[in-house]
Amino acid sequence: MLDPRDRKILECLQRDAAISIGDLADQVALSVSACWRRIRNLEETGLITGRVALVDRKKANVGMTVFVAVRTSRHSIGWTEEFRATIAAIPEIVEAYRLTGEMDYILRLVVPSVEVYDEVYRELITRLDFMDVSAFIGMEELKYTTAVPLKYL
């Protein structure tokens, strides 16, 4: 069970994982060693799964977001494993989900242009059979966060 200090540590780290342990300890009113122990515990229990640097997509020249909805007529384990391997090998695909409803999967791609999206599309349809592939280009990012809500802990 997490206490309010653990939640505060998580909130701070979700905002800035590069914060110094001293500054973090000050913000959560703990000693440096107690704060460090709590972080290690959160990592060991798997609540913290890693720490990353977030790259500005526009500065990395992949400012366009494309959502791709995929429908397939094949639902075998073999096809699904091949699909997983295919999307894992394409770095422009940054998220993928299996869905309920009319579409089977949704992919989120980041690319510099429609032409590059078309290259990814051609790679997908060359490697796998789909019943339908529909693309939606994000026009404006209204909200983006990597932070998860902590109120359910």
Side-chain angles (χ1 to χ4, degrees):
M1 186 69 182
L2 297 181
D3 67 18
R5 284 192 175 140
D6 289 326
R7 284 188 178 93
K8 182 71 173 167
I9 288 169
L10 289 170
E11 288 171 7
C12 291
L13 290 175
Q14 285 192 112
R15 275 194 308 276
D16 180 9
I19 187 172
S20 74
I21 191 70
D23 288 343
L24 180 58
D26 288 344
Q27 288 187 30
V28 298
L30 286 171
S31 70
V32 170
S33 60
C35 186
W36 179 248
R37 279 192 304 274
R38 286 175 180 253
I39 292 169
R40 296 300 301 159
N41 184 57
L42 293 167
E43 291 172 334
E44 289 169 4
T45 62
L47 193 54
I48 294 176
T49 59
R51 300 183 207 184
V52 300
L54 300 177
V55 175
D56 184 296
R57 290 176 299 149
K58 289 181 182 170
K59 290 181 180 176
N61 195 31
V62 287
M64 178 182 285
T65 300
V66 181
F67 298 93
V68 178
V70 174
R71 192 167 29 169
T72 182
S73 59
R74 300 189 56 202
H75 296 278
S76 68
I77 297 298
W79 188 93
T80 302
E81 288 173 358
E82 190 175 347
F83 181 65
R84 285 178 190 268
T86 297
I87 61 176
I90 300 172
E92 292 84 359
I93 299 174
V94 295
E95 291 183 76
Y97 300 91
R98 188 166 55 92
L99 305 173
T100 62
E102 290 185 33
M103 289 295 168
D104 296 308
Y105 301 94
I106 190 155
L107 313 175
R108 185 171 74 89
L109 288 70
V110 294
V111 294
S113 64
V114 171
E115 292 79 15
V116 173
Y117 163 67
D118 190 48
E119 291 172 16
V120 173
Y121 167 78
R122 289 172 189 267
E123 184 173 351
L124 283 169
I125 64 169
T126 298
R127 294 177 70 174
L128 295 164
D129 291 324
F130 298 105
M131 189 162 58
D132 183 45
V133 177
S134 301
F136 307 90
I137 296 174
M139 300 295 291
E140 177 184 7
E141 185 175 276
L142 301 176
K143 180 179 179 180
Y144 174 80
T145 182
T146 60
V148 300
L150 300 175
K151 67 183 183 180
Y152 303 104
L153 289 173

